[in-house]
Amino acid sequence: MANGKNQKVKIKEFKLNFNLRNVFLIIFVFLFLVYAYRSISSEVKKALPEKSLTTIVKEIKQGKIKKVDVIDNKILIYYSNDKLAVTYKETADSFTKILQDNKVDLNRVEVNVKDTQGSSGLASIVGNLLPTILMVAFFIFLFRQAKGAQDSVFSFGQSKAKRFIKSMTKTTFKDVAGVDEAKSELEEIVDFLKHSEKYKKLGARTPKGVLLVGPSGCGKTLLAKAVAGEANVPFFSIAGSEFMEMLVGIGAARVRDLFDNAKKSSPSIIFIDEIDAIGRARSAGVMPAHDEREQTLNQILVEMDGFNPNEQVIVIAATNRGDLLDSALLRPGRFDRRIVVDYPDVEGRKAIAKIHALGKPFDSTVNWDKVAKRTVGFSGADLENMLNEAAIYAARSGRDKISGEDIEEAATKVKLGPEKKRLQSDMDKKLTAYHEAGHAIVSHFLLHTDPVHRISIVSRGMALGYTLIPPAKDKLHETKTHLLEQISVMMGGRAAEETIFNEVTTGAANDFDQATSIAKAMVIEYGMSDLGPINYGPTMDVTEWGKNYYEQSPVSQEMMAKIDEEVKKIITTGFAKAVDIIKTNREVLDKVAEQLIKKESLDGDEFEKIVGKKT
Ligand code: ADP
Ligand code: MG
Ligand code: ZN
């Protein structure tokens, strides 16, 4: 994967050579044919009826021959009746002399002696040498090709960084939303490069490296493009994986070249996308030491340290694995500014959706506030994808405007995968309906949970059904009460199965998985159990994380047993609560499940019609 891009380039190069070679081959074959034709045509001439010299002399005497061409030892005979013949003599002998010796009247025939040392001689020399010349030329050509290939091996060292100028990218900060802090930090940097004197006067030091960290699809690359669009300075962009080459040392050479170029055109910006491809923590011990990566990384560090204070080159790097980066990269004077580009909040999602909604027609059923609320956990890329899918749905059903339902459908598809047209037995359907209704009912009757947005028994991806309960408000803090309630909601599916059918299914595996990780985090990280406010797990410090991850846990065996005990307590309490709610609300549960079997999906309003408004 790391070499993918370069391989593509090489294939292209090869194709180009191949074409050149083809052209040459065609020329070669053509010339060869011409030469062959020449020799064949002389063969044809040779194939003229050959007569003896005596006969010819006799025929000249008889006046049958009007003209002869003497070419070396060959004599072409032109008869009066326009026939042709050929005869041979010794090269040293003169034809005229032969005629005179035989007492032929020289006036009876026209004798043309062609100068063999002259033009025809040259022609024959060229003719004879032609194949040799062609062969030599061909080999020279091949040799040059080989040399060219060698040269391109050496040119690997040059960075392939694309250089952007302002007019080349239309992306600006206007195209980015929901990541306001990151935006304003980068705006500052753009300003720094644009008006460097202003900062210099006040003695401010140029920031050297900016690291954009965040999950994929949240707009890191987009932000960098926007910086390129905004800054009126040269912008060099390269992806970390492009540094990785098959030849050791090439990555480092590339880095050198890239930085040299950037320095030459300072003030300038270097953007290294996906830097984790090179900058992975060296001590993590996950994979064997990778010489190439190590050298490339070292070269980056050397270059960044080598900037002199007014060099005015800023390095922006992006990664979605900030936790895996080598701590050497993060030291002061290197990537000392860390900008988190995280999932957008409600307001951010609304703004991003608006950006990508531009140019698409929507009908009046679309409520952007609702869309923003519903799309918890969506990245910018997810939102873009969602609106695109919605447009496809609308187009497919022949409407000219996108509806709220299209967006809802698209949002579900983006997160849960496309609908599966699985054949379900009635019993399967019933089980799924009660399972999902269980989640919804438990959530509905708990005090601190959010309203149910949608329940469905249409299977998608891995899920047989789903219940969506997006948070109504963005919370900065999760409370213990809310986390415990969430665990109860997750247990709601299994609780319903058990209560109604006195049977359990495999469908709850994912619920347990999620519930368990919440419970574990409560005990280990958040200090929300009887074990008290102590962190029992790996530290959360990102720069340290890579290092500690493979070290022995500092927790003793007894403590681990206690942690397990606490986790179990949280889960079983949550489960008991869920069963309790299911049992007391059995009637509405039946109604919801029944509707689900009939309609397959219920939205929040339909659900509330059955169970009443959430308090
Ligand atoms: P990353 O580099 O963080 O993985 P990208 O910048 O490549 O993510 O984002 C992919 C696409 O998603 C962008 O081209 C853009 O269309 C959309 N997108 C992501 N984040 C945002 C955002 N904050 N605002 C607007 N569009 C966004
Ligand atoms: Mg990216
Ligand atoms: Zn479930």
Side-chain angles (χ1 to χ4, degrees), residues 203-261:
R205 191 173 53 88
T206 326
K208 277 189 188 173
V210 180
L211 187 65
L212 302 174
V213 195
S216 79
C218 285
K220 297 180 298 297
T221 309
L222 186 72
L223 271 168
K225 279 190 196 152
V227 169
E230 295 278 341
N232 223 343
V233 302
F235 184 91
F236 300 85
S237 158
I238 195 163
S241 56
E242 284 173 54
F243 280 122
M244 296 293 114
E245 283 288 353
M246 51 189 179
L247 297 177
V248 174
I250 293 301
R254 280 214 173 142
V255 171
R256 217 173 300 131
D257 189 60
L258 173 64
F259 278 76
D260 280 350
N261 281 339

Side-chain angles (χ1 to χ4, degrees), residues 175-179 214-223 225 273 318 320 341 344 352 355-356 379-382 384:
D175 300 307
V176 195
V179 278
S216 79
C218 285
K220 297 180 298 297
T221 309
L222 186 72
L223 271 168
K225 279 190 196 152
D273 207 353
N320 36 29
V341 184
I352 295 172
I355 287 176
H356 294 290
S379 67
D382 288 336
E384 185 192 11

Side-chain angles (χ1 to χ4, degrees), residues 20-289:
L20 259 175
R21 193 169 298 166
N22 265 354
V23 168
F24 191 84
L25 271 179
I26 289 166
I27 294 172
F28 178 75
V29 167
F30 177 74
L31 288 177
F32 179 78
L33 284 180
V34 167
Y35 174 74
Y37 174 75
R38 265 182 58 119
S39 12
I40 287 167
S41 65
S42 67
E43 285 300 310
V44 170
K45 273 185 196 155
K46 252 182 225 155
L48 290 171
E50 191 182 330
K51 306 231 169 151
S52 74
L53 206 52
T54 333
T55 325
I56 295 300
V57 170
K58 212 194 295 162
E59 285 175 340
I60 291 175
K61 274 182 183 165
Q62 291 166 353
K64 280 186 185 168
I65 294 166
K66 64 173 180 198
K67 192 178 101 178
V68 295
D69 281 353
V70 183
I71 311 153
D72 275 331
N73 62 337
K74 194 162 93 183
I75 302 157
L76 266 176
I77 317 293
Y78 298 84
Y79 287 97
S80 314
N81 61 2
D82 285 339
K83 280 196 176 141
L84 284 171
V86 70
T87 187
Y88 294 92
K89 66 172 178 70
E90 292 303 311
T91 317
D93 297 346
S94 149
F95 186 64
T96 334
K97 184 105 192 315
I98 294 171
L99 291 184
Q100 279 168 348
D101 288 350
N102 286 283
K103 307 209 171 50
V104 178
D105 182 358
L106 287 179
N107 293 327
R108 296 206 74 121
V109 69
E110 182 194 337
V111 179
N112 297 314
V113 180
K114 296 258 160 102
D115 187 359
T116 53
Q117 307 314 118
S119 62
S120 77
L122 185 69
S124 82
I125 287 169
V126 170
N128 288 331
L129 286 183
L130 191 62
T132 325
I133 293 168
L134 283 178
M135 286 312 257
V136 169
F138 187 62
F139 279 114
I140 288 176
F141 176 77
L142 279 185
F143 179 70
R144 290 189 136 208
Q145 285 282 295
K147 199 163 164 282
Q150 220 172 6
D151 281 350
S152 76
V153 166
F154 290 121
S155 72
F156 277 169
Q158 276 152 31
S159 82
K160 288 191 187 147
K162 287 157 268 171
R163 189 179 156 155
F164 289 103
I165 38 179
K166 194 178 177 207
S167 56
M168 280 170 74
T169 162
K170 287 191 194 74
T171 313
T172 62
F173 283 131
K174 277 201 211 80
D175 300 307
V176 195
V179 278
D180 296 333
E181 287 110 88
K183 231 164 97 174
S184 64
E185 286 232 29
L186 287 171
E187 265 161 3
E188 199 176 290
I189 284 178
V190 169
D191 193 57
F192 205 102
L193 289 173
K194 271 173 146 175
H195 314 284
S196 48
E197 330 76 48
K198 185 169 88 185
Y199 291 87
K200 241 189 246 166
K201 249 185 249 160
L202 294 172
R205 191 173 53 88
T206 326
K208 277 189 188 173
V210 180
L211 187 65
L212 302 174
V213 195
S216 79
C218 285
K220 297 180 298 297
T221 309
L222 186 72
L223 271 168
K225 279 190 196 152
V227 169
E230 295 278 341
N232 223 343
V233 302
F235 184 91
F236 300 85
S237 158
I238 195 163
S241 56
E242 284 173 54
F243 280 122
M244 296 293 114
E245 283 288 353
M246 51 189 179
L247 297 177
V248 174
I250 293 301
R254 280 214 173 142
V255 171
R256 217 173 300 131
D257 189 60
L258 173 64
F259 278 76
D260 280 350
N261 281 339
K263 274 188 223 164
K264 257 181 235 152
S265 35
S266 117
S268 60
I269 296 172
I270 295 175
F271 176 54
I272 307 176
D273 207 353
E274 293 149 27
I275 196 174
D276 42 316
I278 3 174
R280 253 164 210 256
R282 285 174 283 192
S283 51
V286 198
M287 48 201 96

